[in-house]
Amino acid sequence: MSDAGVEFLERLLERSERNPDRSRPASAAPQYDSLSTTQQVGRFHDLMVAAERFGAVEVQRGRRDRGHLIERLRVRDPDLLARHLGRPTASAMAQRTREELLPVAATGEPWVASLLDEMTGRWARGEAAYRLTAAQTEAAKEFFTLLASISRQEARGLDARTFSFRATNDTKAFDRHRLPARRDCWCPNWPAWRCG
């Protein structure tokens, strides 16, 4: 069973990462109803105090008879909070993934690298882009391998499975990355099929 305090801090960090230019830092009130025992409440408080000592958050306690409870937690430093949670920030992970994918994207037309830049921006906010997260590096490599091949016109005249096999040595790779049919297709040079 995962720890309610860690989950709470993770959600706070995600809020910070989703909107890094916010004027006020991300904050939230603890949901004490989800903590059913005094041990859970004690553990939750210990985790929040430890995060505050680390410099990652600011703890606001209740007033008067609620002084023993945490009223609100505010993120002081998202980078420190990520380090306290033992994980890289979303922007650091996005940049690392971009660096790994750039050599693959660079083998295609310029629009392929532009798409990588767009996806990196979304990953830096902790969002998925085209159903891929920054942590799914191998799947993203496959996706960009397909796109680069498409941009070089290597799919012309081939059915989806043949093209998929030639590009990635996997007949199902294209099917895994298909998007629903849309007018604003991510693939401007796709003559053989509809985008979906």
Side-chain angles (χ1 to χ4, degrees):
M1 189 170 120
S2 57
D3 191 292
V6 173
E7 286 178 2
F8 183 77
L9 291 172
E10 285 281 357
R11 281 194 306 273
L12 265 180
L13 181 56
E14 286 168 14
R15 284 185 190 176
S16 290
E17 291 175 332
R18 268 236 162 100
N19 189 359
D21 301 324
R22 62 173 59 232
S23 56
R24 292 190 326 203
S27 67
Q31 301 296 316
Y32 281 104
D33 295 345
S34 65
L35 304 171
S36 55
T37 67
T38 55
Q39 287 85 4
Q40 287 177 333
V41 172
R43 168 96 174 121
F44 181 86
H45 282 193
D46 291 345
L47 286 170
M48 299 310 114
V49 168
E52 184 176 42
R53 276 196 209 117
F54 198 74
V57 298
E58 176 187 336
V59 175
Q60 294 178 332
R61 297 216 173 255
R63 293 185 178 155
R64 297 190 183 107
D65 59 337
R66 295 181 57 85
H68 63 291
L69 297 175
I70 295 172
E71 194 166 276
R72 194 153 203 81
L73 220 75
R74 182 170 285 114
V75 175
R76 184 177 288 162
D77 186 328
D79 291 338
L80 282 179
L81 182 53
R83 197 161 37 168
H84 181 68
L85 290 168
R87 73 161 177 88
T89 61
S91 61
M93 185 177 263
Q95 280 308 312
R96 194 174 312 134
T97 302
R98 181 186 186 282
E99 288 168 15
E100 235 179 288
L101 297 175
L102 192 56
V104 178
T107 65
E109 292 294 314
W111 64 263
V112 179
S114 295
L115 185 69
L116 176 58
D117 291 338
E118 175 198 324
M119 292 173 73
T120 301
R122 291 174 64 183
W123 289 334
R125 293 188 305 272
E127 300 172 4
Y130 297 99
R131 298 181 302 182
L132 294 167
T133 66
Q136 294 174 294
T137 311
E138 290 307 310
K141 267 188 191 164
E142 184 178 74
F143 180 70
F144 277 96
T145 299
L146 290 166
L147 290 180
S149 293
I150 290 166
S151 77
R152 294 188 307 266
Q153 305 295 321
E154 293 172 5
R156 192 176 295 277
L158 300 176
D159 64 88
R161 293 217 169 155
T162 302
F163 162 67
S164 185
F165 183 75
R166 285 188 184 173
T168 65
N169 288 330
D170 183 342
T171 59
K172 304 267 185 173
F174 183 78
D175 291 337
R176 280 193 294 276
H177 297 287
R178 280 174 57 145
L179 297 173
R182 316 178 337 187
R183 290 188 160 261
D184 61 334
C185 178
W186 44 261
C187 170
N189 297 335
W190 192 241
W193 311 300
R194 288 176 46 191
C195 300

